[in-house]
Amino acid sequence: MMTRRRLLATLPAAALLRGQQNSGTSDVTRVRIDAGEITARVNPMIFGQFIEHLGRCIYGGIYEEGSPLSDERGFRKDVLAAVKRLNPPMLRWPGGNFVSSYHWEDGVGPKDQRPRRFDTAWFAVEPNRFGTNECIEYCRAIGAEPYFCINLGTGTIEEAANWVEYCNGTSDTHYANLRQKHGYAEPHNVKYWGLGNEIYGTWQAGHKSAEDYAKVALEAAKMMKWIDPSIRLVACGAGDPQWDLTVLESLGAIVDYISVHFYTGSDDYYETLASVKRAEHQLQLADSAIEIAMSRIRGHEPRSVDFPLREKRVELAFDEWNIWYRRRDGRNRAVKDKLEEPYNLRDALWTTSMLHLFQRWGDKVTMANLAQMVNVIAPIHTNPQGMYLEPNFFPLELYRAHSGDRVIHSWTDGPGYDSPTAGRTQYLDVCATLASERLAIGVVNRHKDRPLGAQFEISGFKPGRAGKVFTINGPSPDAANSFEQPNLVATATRDYSDFSSQFTFEFPAHSVTMLELGT
Ligand code: AHR
C-alpha cells in the first residue's frame, strides 16, 4: 500500500495546487466528491437479471429435475444460493429471441402433458417443463419481481391479454380460473411486461417494421392494461432513433419504458473497457427519442379515452447487456457452444463500469437486466456436479450489497488513454453513492499493468477514520475462474482506518475497489 507521504512525493508540485488540471501527465488522479450534490437516484431495479430458454440457462442451469443437487421443485440448490448472493430485484423471462415464437399456454398445467416444441430461435427442442408457474416460484424463491416478455413475433394480442389474466386475474373467468386449477389460488401479480423482443431484427420470428410493430404493440398494450391497469410496460427499442421515435410516438402515452440492448467485446483490452462510452451513446440516442416523442405526445389533443394515459416521462430499460463475442456466431447462433462465454477479470472491470453508467443515469435508467444469469453469457457456470462463479459475478454482488441509493457529484482529473472508438478515457473510473450513513466510492483501475494513486477531497460528508475496502482482482487481466481454480478472482474485504476528508489511496492494476466510508 502506498502511504500518503509516498504518494504525495510522486506528485509534481504543480499538480498539488488547488484547481490545477492534471491533463494526464501525472500518475495521480485527483478526485473531488461533493456529497451535498445529488446527481441521480439509483433504482435497485438496475441490478435485474435475465433467464432465457437458451442452451443451459434454464435446463441444466437454474433447473435440473432429478439432479441430486436440486430440490423437490427441480431448482438447483447450489445455483439458488449463488443467485441469492446476487440478490436480483427483478428477473426477466422467457426471452430473448426465444419469446418471439413462444406460446405461454404450452408451459402451464401438468408437466407430463405439456407439448415438446421445436424452438426456431435457437434450433433446439423446448420441453416446456419450466413455464409460468415455475418461473414465478423461482422469482419468489430469490425475492425478485417477475418481468415477463410477451410474444409479439408469432403471438396474438389476445394471447398476451390472456397471459395477464392468467397471472393477475381475480374474477371468475377462464384464465384466472385456470391458474387456480393449476394450484395458484392467489394472483401472481406480475407487474412488469415487455412488449416483444428485438422485433426490429430479421433474426426474430415475426420480425416487423417500426410502423407494424408500433401498431400491434399498442393494441397488445391496450388489451393487457384493460385486464390489469396497474401493470408497467416496456416497449421494444432498437438503439436506432428512427425506430424508437416511431414506436414512442405511438406507444409513449401507454408504456413506462423503452428497452435498450447492448453487447460488446473483443480481445482488445483497452477498447473493450472504453466501449462503455458506446453504451452511453445508446442511452443518449434513446433518451433523445423519448424527449422528442414526449413533447409531441403532450401536444396531441384530444386524447384517446380507450386506455389510461400517463403523463410521466418514459424511462429506459437496459434489459440486455453484457460482453459477448467469444461464443458468438452470426451465421448459426445455435451451434456456438450454446453461448457459454468464458469471462475473465477484464470483463469484471467492464461490468463495474457499466454499473457506474447505470448509476450515473439513475434518474433515467430505472431498470437493467444482465444477459444472462446462468451458463449462457452468464456470471454463474454449472456442470451436473457443481458450479463456479465467473469474475463478473463479484462486482454485481458487491454493488448490489454496498452501493448507496443516491449518486453524488464526483469529478476526476487523471491520466488516461485515447480510444479510437470512444475518445479520451481516464484509467480510473469513479462513481460515488450515498446511503444513509455511508459513502461508497467505486473505483475501476483500467490500467493493465500499473497501480494508480488517487488523491481524494470529500465535501458534504464527514468521514470517520474507519471503514472498509473491497477489492476484486487477480494475477492478470486474463485471470479466469474454472472448476479447477474457482477462486482465482474474488472479492477481498479488509478494514481500513485512514479515511478522512482528504486522503490518498492506491488502486492496484486491473482492479475494482469499493471504499466504504462511515461517519
Ligand atoms: O441474450 C442472447 C440474445 O441476444 C437474446 O436472445 C436476444 O434478445 C439478443 O439478441
Side-chain angles (χ1 to χ4, degrees):
M1 170 64 50
M2 190 182 273
T3 61
R4 180 174 160 76
R5 188 177 301 164
R6 263 183 61 207
L7 178 64
L8 292 178
T10 66
L11 282 170
L16 287 171
L17 295 174
R18 187 173 266 276
Q20 174 88 24
Q21 293 291 305
N22 179 307
S23 58
T25 50
S26 162
D27 264 2
V28 176
T29 298
R30 297 176 60 214
V31 185
R32 278 200 219 134
I33 293 174
D34 181 2
E37 193 183 336
I38 310 290
T39 57
R41 308 257 153 196
V42 183
N43 193 312
M45 292 299 176
I46 63 166
F47 295 102
Q49 292 282 340
F50 168 39
I51 51 170
E52 177 170 2
H53 291 247
L54 198 185
R56 299 190 312 120
C57 180
I58 292 178
Y59 304 108
I62 65 165
Y63 184 78
E64 198 165 359
E65 289 176 285
S67 162
L69 298 179
S70 297
D71 65 16
E72 63 296 343
R73 297 167 293 191
F75 298 159
R76 278 276 298 254
K77 287 183 278 187
D78 52 347
V79 177
L80 197 60
V83 172
K84 283 183 181 171
R85 283 174 60 180
L86 289 178
N87 190 17
M90 154 183 288
L91 188 62
R92 181 174 183 248
W93 174 80
N97 298 342
F98 172 79
V99 79
S100 293
S101 55
Y102 176 64
H103 299 288
W104 69 268
E105 286 191 65
D106 288 346
V108 295
K111 282 189 189 171
D112 293 334
Q113 290 168 28
R114 297 183 192 172
R116 291 171 66 79
R117 302 260 189 220
F118 184 70
D119 160 26
T120 53
W122 301 106
F123 315 134
V125 175
E126 171 53 49
N128 279 308
R129 295 186 71 83
F130 187 96
T132 299
N133 296 315
E134 289 74 27
C135 187
I136 293 290
E137 296 264 356
Y138 201 78
C139 287
R140 301 300 177 236
I142 61 173
E145 287 281 346
Y147 164 26
F148 287 179
C149 186
I150 65 165
N151 173 358
L152 276 186
T154 64
T156 66
I157 58 174
E158 190 173 33
E159 182 183 7
N162 292 342
W163 201 8
V164 177
E165 185 191 319
Y166 181 88
C167 292
N168 297 358
T170 49
S171 330
D172 181 11
T173 52
H174 177 75
Y175 285 102
N177 290 341
L178 190 62
R179 183 196 67 240
Q180 299 209 7
K181 193 174 147 202
H182 292 158
Y184 298 87
E186 296 305 318
H188 294 324
N189 290 325
V190 178
K191 187 170 166 192
Y192 299 94
W193 293 84
L195 298 171
N197 177 75
E198 294 186 358
I199 292 294
Y200 52 85
T202 50
W203 57 90
Q204 215 68 210
H207 145 251
K208 293 173 181 57
S209 68
E211 290 75 16
D212 289 348
Y213 168 73
K215 218 167 168 180
V216 71
L218 178 63
E219 294 309 308
K222 206 170 76 178
M223 281 191 76
M224 292 164 77
K225 285 244 183 193
W226 282 343
I227 302 290
D228 181 353
S230 73
I231 58 176
R232 290 174 70 80
L233 298 174
V234 183
C236 171
D240 164 13
Q242 193 54 57
W243 167 285
D244 287 4
L245 197 53
T246 305
V247 165
L248 284 170
E249 281 189 0
S250 166
L251 289 159
I254 195 168
V255 297
D256 301 273
Y257 309 86
I258 184 153
S259 66
V260 178
H261 289 182
F262 184 76
Y263 292 102
T264 188
S266 73
D267 286 336
D268 187 321
Y269 174 91
Y270 282 117
E271 270 309 286
T272 299
L273 293 182
S275 71
V276 175
K277 283 203 184 159
R278 286 195 287 111
E280 181 158 30
H281 186 59
Q282 291 299 305
L283 286 177
Q284 284 157 346
L285 290 178
D287 188 49
S288 307
I290 293 172
E291 191 57 35
I292 297 167
M294 295 310 286
S295 67
R296 289 186 184 162
I297 288 168
R298 283 188 200 108
H300 285 172
E301 294 293 346
R303 299 233 165 116
S304 163
V305 290
D306 290 335
F307 51 83
L309 283 168
R310 53 189 300 287
E311 294 289 335
K312 224 174 136 242
R313 197 177 192 274
V314 170
E315 294 161 19
L316 292 159
F318 216 115
D319 61 11
E320 285 189 32
W321 63 278
N322 212 338
I323 284 183
W324 175 23
Y325 69 100
R326 302 168 178 101
R327 298 289 183 269
R328 189 169 189 153
D329 179 344
R331 282 166 300 124
N332 189 348
R333 282 168 282 142
V335 296
K336 195 69 181 174
D337 295 325
K338 297 195 162 88
L339 282 70
E340 297 199 5
E341 181 101 355
Y343 289 106
N344 60 24
L345 175 61
R346 178 213 57 180
D347 302 333
L349 269 54
W350 178 87
T351 302
T352 313
S353 287
M354 286 294 285
L355 293 176
H356 286 181
L357 174 68
F358 299 152
Q359 291 186 328
R360 290 188 192 110
W361 275 71
D363 286 337
K364 292 178 173 177
V365 178
T366 52
M367 173 196 302
N369 304 76
L370 183 84
Q372 299 189 3
M373 192 166 77
V374 183
N375 289 328
V376 171
I377 43 175
I380 300 170
H381 203 100
T382 72
N383 69 12
Q385 290 77 41
M387 49 150 281
Y388 69 87
L389 306 173
E390 297 279 2
N392 53 2
F393 178 94
F394 297 98
L396 295 165
E397 176 188 40
L398 177 67
Y399 275 65
R400 172 72 171 123
H402 292 277
S403 291
D405 56 0
R406 282 150 290 158
V407 182
I408 56 182
H409 180 73
S410 55
W411 173 92
T412 58
D413 180 27
Y417 61 98
D418 292 310
S419 149
T421 56
R424 187 75 184 154
T425 306
Q426 290 191 35
Y427 289 121
L428 293 192
D429 173 20
V430 180
C431 184
T433 58
L434 200 58
S436 47
E437 298 283 285
R438 278 185 307 114
L439 176 59
I441 308 175
V443 181
V444 179
N445 180 4
R446 298 173 168 127
H447 204 295
K448 205 172 175 178
D449 324 292
R450 289 187 17 216
L452 290 176
Q455 191 184 13
F456 287 87
E457 249 184 74
I458 296 171
S459 54
F461 181 92
K462 216 170 165 14
R465 291 187 76 76
K468 282 205 180 314
V469 175
F470 304 92
T471 311
I472 300 166
N473 206 350
S476 78
D478 300 328
N481 294 339
S482 61
F483 285 109
E484 295 70 37
Q485 274 194 302
N487 302 314
L488 209 54
V489 179
T491 307
T493 307
R494 65 192 162 99
D495 294 328
Y496 191 77
S497 55
D498 212 8
F499 290 128
S500 64
S501 299
Q502 292 194 333
F503 65 97
T504 55
F505 202 91
E506 188 186 69
F507 298 94
H510 52 69
S511 66
V512 171
T513 305
M514 186 181 276
L515 307 175
E516 192 175 66
L517 287 67
T519 48

